[in-house]
Amino acid sequence: MSDLKWKKKYEIGHPRIDFEHRIFVDLITRIYDAIAEKRDGGYLERLMYELQKYTEFHFVSEENIMYSIGYPDYDAHVEHHRELLERFSQKKMEMELGERTIEELLKFLVDWFLTHTLTEDRKIASFVHGKKI
Ligand SMILES: [Fe+2]
């Protein structure tokens, strides 16, 4: 996949989380656009840094939502986030060392977003709506 556009099916039914996911997808799209426009490496580096920081913020935000509602799968979900952030920094470092392309890193993030969002995050919305997870 070379691009990521917001689709209705990405919505999990929790307005705050959906809103933050949209921003995440928008950031990825902006990075793909910057690559297509052949923007300088310094700018791409800044965008990747923004994406990394935004992901960190979004995870804390999501974790606080889970915490506040007494979400039963909190620990496992937080562990998923921690793992992703670790792999993200690792791959970003490899990219900076020239061992990995920016496209590879983006593809990893897009795949992760699609699987994690459509499975794990969806369970949070289901729990809020009173369904068993
Ligand atoms: Fe999540």
Side-chain angles (χ1 to χ4, degrees):
M1 182 185 310
S2 62
D3 209 341
L4 180 67
K5 291 268 177 280
W6 185 261
K7 293 184 186 70
K8 183 91 184 138
K9 68 170 182 185
Y10 300 157
E11 266 166 37
I12 64 165
H14 186 292
R16 171 70 197 227
I17 296 175
D18 283 333
F19 178 73
E20 291 184 8
H21 283 166
R22 269 178 187 269
I23 295 175
F24 179 83
V25 167
D26 180 65
L27 268 171
I28 300 246
T29 307
R30 277 168 51 205
I31 299 173
Y32 275 120
D33 288 349
I35 295 169
E37 290 160 9
K38 303 203 179 339
R39 298 291 301 259
D40 62 279
Y43 181 57
L44 289 177
E45 217 172 277
R46 294 182 76 110
L47 288 179
M48 285 310 296
Y49 183 61
E50 184 179 347
L51 181 62
Q52 188 176 25
K53 287 292 166 196
Y54 184 77
T55 307
E56 285 172 17
F57 154 78
H58 167 61
F59 285 173
V60 174
S61 170
E62 214 177 78
E63 286 160 15
N64 285 347
I65 290 168
M66 289 190 283
Y67 185 87
S68 74
I69 58 174
Y71 186 67
D73 224 11
Y74 175 87
D75 289 340
H77 200 126
V78 169
E79 181 56 25
H80 270 129
H81 288 169
R82 200 195 53 77
E83 227 173 77
L84 183 270
L85 289 178
E86 217 173 81
R87 291 171 72 194
F88 188 165
S89 326
Q90 177 68 30
K91 285 173 193 289
K92 191 165 167 282
M93 218 158 66
E94 290 166 5
M95 186 194 78
E96 282 155 10
L97 292 170
E99 295 168 0
R100 185 178 293 284
T101 64
I102 190 168
E103 284 88 352
E104 282 174 309
L105 177 52
L106 289 170
K107 189 188 178 301
F108 163 75
L109 292 167
V110 168
D111 289 346
W112 195 91
F113 171 78
L114 293 177
T115 44
H116 181 81
T117 302
L118 298 180
T119 55
E120 296 310 311
D121 292 350
R122 200 173 282 284
K123 292 184 198 165
I124 305 171
S126 299
F127 181 75
V128 170
H129 296 128
K131 292 180 199 115
K132 272 207 161 63
I133 59 163

